[in-house]
Amino acid sequence: MTKTSLRLALAQLNPIVGDVAGNAEKVRAARREAAAGGAELVMFPELFLSAYPPEDLVLKPAFQDACRKACEELARETADGGPAVLVGLPWLEDGKLYNAYALLDGGLIQSVRFKVDLPNYGVFDEKRVFEPGPLPGPVVFRNHVRLGIPICEDIWGEEVVECIAETGGEILLVPNGSPFRRGVIEERLNVAVARVVESGLPMVYLNQLGGQDELVFEGASFVLNADRSFAHQLPAFREAIRITDWERGPDGWRCLPGEVAPVEAGDEADYAACVLGLRDYVEKNRFPGVVLGLSGGIDSAICAAMAVDALGSERVRCVMMPYRFTSQESLDDAKKCADALGVRYEIVPIAEPVEGFEQALAELFAGTNRGITEENLQSRVRGTLLMSISNKFGPMVVTTGNKSEMSCGYATLYGDMNGGYNPIKDLYKTEVFRLSALRNRWKPAGALGPDGEVIPENIIVKPPSAELRENQKDQDSLPPYDVLDDILACLIEHEMRLSDIVARGHDLETVQKVERLLYLAEYKRRQAAPGVKVTRKNFGRDRRYPIVNRFRDPGEPAHEPDRSLVKGVGRAGGESFDF
């Protein structure tokens, strides 16, 4: 008799890249929980045994062996009659390495499917390390349901799902390692709906959770029925194991309705991503905590709040390092912020080391005027002090430069750029202001910081200043941040022509200045700490610009090619296309 029900567990979990044994233990624990819930099958995200993305680590034969051995051990354990397991791993076959997904059941590796469409854009570089697999047919599970397994990118085109549907697939189970960025949750849902409509099949979209270097995987897994209705929505930014119940009817398989968890969006999602990214970078690298300079400005204040939300106040140490340009207002604001967050707070004056450096350089600098060099000494002393605390006691230094500063080079190498990780690296200054106000009225689920105002209102409303000279303000040498950030977004996220940016209402000279600063600061960004990615194009894996670069957009309208000059354009097979 044909079985008409299926109980499937979805394991939205947080693996660690390279921790094959630890990830396998997570599989075992989730399988036990799934068994207690009566599940017949438990599925895990893409490449779960290695964790995603393993990058060039996956090319090491010893690492490949470790993943395969763990998979075989897990397969043997399924001989106990408990739930079957669907798990991802790198798989070597006939000298070729694949991004694979394996069905483990009855003590055996029953079936293996390979990822077909290997993404090679933005943060993805899978063609570098994997071979594309053949178009897959469905996997038969316990002789009563045919499971289609398109892996992550395989559903972003039509071909793989179409092949599965045409060869008898009944349910689409999609393991994913899809990182967070603004708007991606809506994009994923649109893609999933398109494949469901085209195939007429229900879909499980199971995504990885957790931070991995600059990437954050927010989970937010879901189940769609063939009629496009939501059956389940798992939470974002939190682990979850969800039991789903399925029934076969005259129109095929259908998932019974379950919990639809709320999912953070907009600024709330950005803040939650920054907290999760920082937490996992610290935890997975086994730092005991963090230390940062608390200046009384907004960037260090929001970083302190994120650190406390991520790790708890007892693991966050803040240091105020005043010099003669530090205002009493900044001293007061930093103390209020530290008190509100409940962190350890110390004041370490820097006059003596700064003036010591100036004295050591006095003869070399004789006859020159004071300027940026002397200002940078203050920043470099502060960076050295923070790194010394880190070296002595073990906490990681959190660096606090926002994307506006990193774009324009308004950060000092070996000074305020010192540190291991930057939670606001991909947030523009205007967004830092906005998220600071947000945090005072809201905090993410699971955050360890206090409720209510943690960033004093005066920090949010006062004009930003590095306080490296008398009466210094950021806007002395930069456009207003709303203007600057719009220009930067046009240049970075959208690669717009200067003429098109000017058409948005910006002054050409200002746009040219910003473009020049952006290009000149490339060498600094290459030496910057990693930080959470939240935008479509972050500084890091997304945006790979040359340091040596003399190109400058002349600000002219788009060039219309003169096709009368082109005799032919080469094509495949040696043919040419004639205009």
Side-chain angles (χ1 to χ4, degrees), residues 180 182 266-275 298-299 302-303 306 400-407 422-436 481 485 488 493 531-535 537-539:
F180 171 79
R182 288 178 193 151
D267 289 343
E268 292 184 0
D270 286 357
Y271 189 93
C274 293
V275 170
I298 196 164
D299 296 321
I302 194 172
C303 287
M306 289 174 173
T400 62
N402 61 69
K403 193 171 187 177
S404 305
E405 293 174 349
M406 297 303 296
S407 298
N422 183 351
I424 64 168
K425 184 179 179 182
D426 205 24
L427 293 174
Y428 292 110
K429 188 78 168 189
T430 49
E431 294 165 346
V432 169
F433 280 110
R434 205 166 64 231
L435 266 62
S436 296
Y481 277 115
D485 290 352
L488 288 171
E493 269 76 57
V532 177
K533 168 184 166 64
V534 297
T535 66
K537 190 171 287 189
N538 73 331
F539 290 131

Side-chain angles (χ1 to χ4, degrees), residues 332-396:
D332 294 342
D333 287 341
K335 179 67 164 60
K336 289 176 183 175
C337 185
D339 288 346
L341 289 167
V343 298
R344 179 176 179 178
Y345 176 70
E346 293 145 319
I347 298 177
V348 181
I350 65 170
E352 189 172 345
V354 169
E355 289 159 12
F357 275 117
E358 290 188 354
Q359 184 177 354
L361 293 164
E363 186 175 343
L364 291 174
F365 287 3
T368 66
N369 296 322
R370 292 183 63 85
I372 293 176
T373 301
E374 287 75 15
E375 293 178 13
N376 285 344
L377 280 177
Q378 301 167 50
S379 180
R380 291 191 171 116
V381 165
R382 291 178 173 122
T384 298
L385 292 174
L386 290 172
M387 290 305 300
S388 297
I389 293 170
S390 175
N391 293 161
K392 181 63 73 173
F393 302 108
M396 183 197 76

Side-chain angles (χ1 to χ4, degrees), residues 180-474:
F180 171 79
R181 59 174 168 79
R182 288 178 193 151
V184 75
I185 294 176
E186 293 80 6
E187 289 179 31
R188 291 190 202 124
L189 181 57
N190 290 338
V191 167
V193 167
R195 299 294 88 81
V196 165
V197 169
E198 292 159 5
S199 65
L201 301 178
M203 176 187 290
V204 173
Y205 186 102
L206 178 64
N207 195 24
Q208 179 174 299
L209 181 88
Q212 172 57 30
D213 295 345
E214 65 191 28
L215 302 181
V216 172
F217 301 85
E218 87 284 10
S221 308
F222 58 85
V223 180
L224 284 176
N225 276 313
D227 62 3
R228 296 171 289 174
S229 62
F230 258 98
H232 288 264
Q233 172 68 66
L234 276 64
F237 306 106
R238 301 188 294 287
E239 287 190 316
I241 296 177
R242 178 72 61 86
I243 303 293
T244 65
D245 285 300
W246 296 73
E247 291 183 350
R248 187 204 297 269
D251 298 320
W253 287 91
R254 180 176 181 82
C255 185
L256 301 182
E259 182 184 354
V260 177
V263 172
E264 293 85 351
D267 289 343
E268 292 184 0
D270 286 357
Y271 189 93
C274 293
V275 170
L276 177 56
L278 177 59
R279 175 187 295 138
D280 275 0
Y281 194 84
V282 172
E283 299 287 15
K284 292 179 180 181
N285 284 299
R286 297 173 176 167
F287 288 105
V290 297
V291 60
L292 68 151
L294 194 63
S295 68
I298 196 164
D299 296 321
S300 62
I302 194 172
C303 287
M306 289 174 173
V308 171
D309 284 341
L311 305 169
S313 60
E314 70 281 358
R315 297 176 66 190
V316 179
R317 185 173 185 174
C318 292
V319 184
M320 159 57 90
M321 293 167 283
Y323 188 51
R324 59 191 176 93
F325 303 122
T326 303
S327 67
Q328 186 61 47
E329 182 181 35
S330 292
L331 287 163
D332 294 342
D333 287 341
K335 179 67 164 60
K336 289 176 183 175
C337 185
D339 288 346
L341 289 167
V343 298
R344 179 176 179 178
Y345 176 70
E346 293 145 319
I347 298 177
V348 181
I350 65 170
E352 189 172 345
V354 169
E355 289 159 12
F357 275 117
E358 290 188 354
Q359 184 177 354
L361 293 164
E363 186 175 343
L364 291 174
F365 287 3
T368 66
N369 296 322
R370 292 183 63 85
I372 293 176
T373 301
E374 287 75 15
E375 293 178 13
N376 285 344
L377 280 177
Q378 301 167 50
S379 180
R380 291 191 171 116
V381 165
R382 291 178 173 122
T384 298
L385 292 174
L386 290 172
M387 290 305 300
S388 297
I389 293 170
S390 175
N391 293 161
K392 181 63 73 173
F393 302 108
M396 183 197 76
V397 177
V398 171
T399 183
T400 62
N402 61 69
K403 193 171 187 177
S404 305
E405 293 174 349
M406 297 303 296
S407 298
C408 296
Y410 278 56
T412 305
L413 275 175
Y414 327 120
D416 56 310
M417 288 179 66
N418 280 0
Y421 200 72
N422 183 351
I424 64 168
K425 184 179 179 182
D426 205 24
L427 293 174
Y428 292 110
K429 188 78 168 189
T430 49
E431 294 165 346
V432 169
F433 280 110
R434 205 166 64 231
L435 266 62
S436 296
L438 168 70
R439 177 56 183 87
N440 281 344
R441 62 179 185 271
W442 167 90
K443 68 177 183 181
L448 301 177
D451 295 331
E453 182 177 287
V454 293
I455 301 174
E457 181 67 17
N458 192 58
I459 290 179
I460 298 174
V461 301
K462 69 182 179 183
S465 171
E467 293 192 324
L468 299 175
R469 61 177 183 269
E470 291 289 354
N471 301 315
Q472 183 185 24
K473 298 290 184 290
D474 290 5

Side-chain angles (χ1 to χ4, degrees), residues 37-94:
E40 303 158 71
L41 175 63
V42 54
M43 71 176 289
F44 295 84
E46 178 181 12
L47 287 180
F48 189 81
L49 288 179
S50 64
Y52 188 86
E55 300 188 73
D56 284 6
L57 176 63
V58 81
L59 299 176
K60 291 183 73 68
F63 183 65
Q64 298 164 11
D65 292 349
C67 293
R68 184 66 166 263
K69 181 181 177 183
C71 180
E72 292 170 355
E73 290 172 350
L74 290 168
R76 293 187 188 100
E77 293 168 17
T78 62
D80 63 4
V85 171
L86 279 166
V87 69
L89 72 155
W91 184 282
L92 190 66
E93 189 74 26
D94 296 329

Side-chain angles (χ1 to χ4, degrees), residues 495-512:
E495 300 283 7
M496 288 172 60
R497 300 175 188 276
L498 263 59
S499 58
D500 293 335
I501 301 174
V502 171
R504 291 170 61 87
H506 295 295
D507 171 69
L508 176 60
E509 184 177 347
T510 301
V511 175
Q512 288 174 326

